[in-house]
Amino acid sequence: MTTSSAAVAALSGLGFGLSLIVAIGAQNAFVLRQGVRGRHILPVVAVCALSDVVLIAAGVAGFGTVVESFPAVVTIARWAGAAFLVCYALFAARRAFGSSALQADLTGTSAALGASVLTCLALTWLNPHVYLDTLVLFGSFASTWAPSERWFLAAGAMLASVLWFFGLGYGASRLGPLFAKPLAWRILDSLIAVVMLALAIGLVLG
């Protein structure tokens, strides 16, 4: 394999990876909010990026066939994810219309690190689309490349996840001054509640 073919594979993986993750979703909404709050940004974005690295590697290694052979895995994740998203949407709505939660954000207090990490893990691993996108879709895409090029393709997709989540989390942290007023938090949490609820409905409808 030549250096140019490896570069082409890596760039293709980078572009394909970005096309999968640069979208409005539960995970991105959570990272955005954590970034705006300036709380636990590094652990949260690290969990998102590392989760994608593991899943992309599994997809290239051929674990997508396992998911296709056992569709119950996706079904369980779909219903569990929908239930979790509904709960998260309700919490976001309560924050949007509750003065105590708004005051907590404005004064800089936040959930414990463990709670933030667990929420991030749930939004990632209870999302059935993450298995379809990384294990099945990306795995199928990788199978069309020569064996010697697949891991360069995977490296590009992994880099896409790292760049995206770190950029989103730390980029959002610069928006902190814009959220010095309760109205800004009400708008953000209202949008997050709508997104989470819409995603939950989408999961239930399959």
Side-chain angles (χ1 to χ4, degrees):
M1 182 182 63
T2 64
T3 302
S4 60
S5 62
V8 169
L11 289 174
S12 297
L14 179 68
F16 196 86
L18 287 173
S19 71
L20 293 177
I21 61 175
V22 180
I24 297 176
Q27 190 184 49
N28 286 340
F30 180 73
V31 173
L32 175 65
R33 192 173 194 281
Q34 290 297 115
V36 170
R37 298 172 82 188
R39 295 288 176 172
H40 312 313
I41 301 175
L42 180 58
V44 166
V45 298
V47 166
C48 291
L50 288 174
S51 295
D52 271 8
V53 166
V54 171
L55 288 164
I56 289 168
V60 174
F63 279 85
T65 56
V66 175
V67 173
E68 292 177 324
S69 300
F70 298 95
V73 173
V74 176
T75 301
I76 293 172
R78 179 162 64 93
W79 286 101
F84 185 84
L85 289 174
V86 168
C87 292
Y88 195 95
L90 293 175
F91 281 123
R94 187 181 69 175
R95 287 196 305 265
F97 298 102
S99 59
S100 60
L102 285 170
Q103 186 61 34
D105 278 320
L106 292 172
T107 56
T109 58
S110 63
L113 172 60
S116 296
V117 170
L118 287 175
T119 299
C120 188
L121 287 170
L123 291 173
T124 301
W125 292 90
L126 290 181
N127 177 12
H129 293 298
V130 76
Y131 301 105
L132 298 176
D133 287 346
T134 55
L135 297 183
V136 179
L137 184 56
F138 188 81
S140 298
F141 177 63
S143 67
T144 65
W145 291 70
S148 59
E149 298 172 338
R150 290 173 188 170
W151 289 106
F152 288 97
L153 187 79
M158 293 172 184
L159 178 61
S161 290
V162 172
L163 292 176
W164 170 255
F165 287 117
F166 276 81
L168 180 62
Y170 286 99
S173 67
R174 296 181 178 275
L175 299 177
L178 298 178
F179 286 83
K181 296 181 179 180
L183 178 61
W185 284 107
R186 290 186 190 279
I187 294 173
L188 178 62
D189 280 322
S190 295
L191 291 174
I192 289 176
V194 171
V195 168
M196 298 293 184
L197 186 59
L199 291 171
I201 294 172
L203 289 181
V204 170
L205 296 178

